[in-house]
Amino acid sequence: MFENTLDNYAHSNGLKDANTFFKVLFAISTMLVSLVSTSPVVPLLITIFVSGLIIFEAKIPWKFYLKFLTIPLTFGLISFVFMSLFFGVGTHILDLGIFNLAVTEDGFNLGLLLLARVMGGFTCMAFLALTIPMTELFCELERFRIPQIITELAMLMYRYIFLFLDEGINMYHAQETRLGYSSYKKSFKSMGMLGSNLFIRTWIKGEQAHVAMESRCYDGSIKTMKEPENLKSIGIRNLSLLIIFEVTLIVIVYFTGNLTLF
């Protein structure tokens, strides 16, 4: 039922056997470099490089990956348009002739930088989500001193996302077999019934899951099966490549600090 979901790819991608701690270090450090960059050059380079890793090394289907990028790309483009029109001062690049709206040099450069940072940061997050199973990622969060209550809440939320989807899909198929979506009128009625009952069904399933956890000696703490990997397990070669890569990005950030398109 969930054969084409993010979680399925995280368990079956080409980099699933790579060191988890190494992947987390790579994604977080690269994302930080993207955020501190004052020009769009480095974030765009990060977007291209990390996307290449996801598609060609992790073997994630490019169609799925492009769909995965649709929402952040749309958000980034909308922000780019608004910042180009309503922020910044300077010479007008484009006069729209409507309500005195115009694209300024400063606004365009600021919007482009925001768009590049959004895409650079999101591709790093996508690398984490598509190459590391969430159970292993939660295990690594303990290394970074994330409060236990936050990781446990994240685990439960992650679990109930699939519970929610499972209930919704089962109810949808049950309505579909009874011709609940054979017309527009029936479709709206069926969707209303699905939405009203889905919360109740999911709540009941959640209560049952809590009872099952308590019957198995749940004491308020969820333990992960996988032990956090140490720095030595990364290997000198991989660690050296990571340092060289990040230092190279920082050098490019330094030399492109004042680079703008206009």
Side-chain angles (χ1 to χ4, degrees), residues 72-82 115:
L73 180 59
T74 302
F75 168 77
L77 288 175
I78 293 174
S79 301
F80 169 70
V81 171
F82 273 90
L115 174 62

Side-chain angles (χ1 to χ4, degrees), residues 1 33 49 71 83-84 91 94 97 107 163 180 186 188 193 241:
M1 184 177 296
V33 173
F49 180 79
I71 294 178
M83 296 193 74
S84 298
T91 306
L94 176 65
L163 182 63
K186 289 184 177 180
F188 283 112
M193 294 175 61
L241 289 175

Side-chain angles (χ1 to χ4, degrees), residues 12 14 21 29 83 87 108 135 192 200 209 220 257:
S12 60
F21 187 37
S29 58
M83 296 193 74
F87 292 86
F108 182 89
T135 52
I200 299 175

Side-chain angles (χ1 to χ4, degrees), residues 88-109:
V89 293
T91 306
H92 289 187
I93 301 174
L94 176 65
D95 290 309
L96 299 182
I98 303 175
F99 303 113
N100 294 323
L101 293 177
V103 178
T104 62
E105 291 183 357
D106 189 39
F108 182 89
N109 291 327

Side-chain angles (χ1 to χ4, degrees), residues 155-184:
M155 290 181 190
L156 292 174
M157 291 171 62
Y158 182 72
R159 168 69 180 90
Y160 285 112
I161 287 173
F162 291 95
L163 182 63
F164 186 83
L165 289 174
D166 191 32
E167 285 295 318
I169 291 174
N170 289 336
M171 292 173 65
Y172 174 80
H173 288 327
Q175 291 177 329
E176 194 175 30
T177 56
R178 293 169 175 81
L179 302 179
Y181 297 93
S182 58
S183 65
Y184 283 108

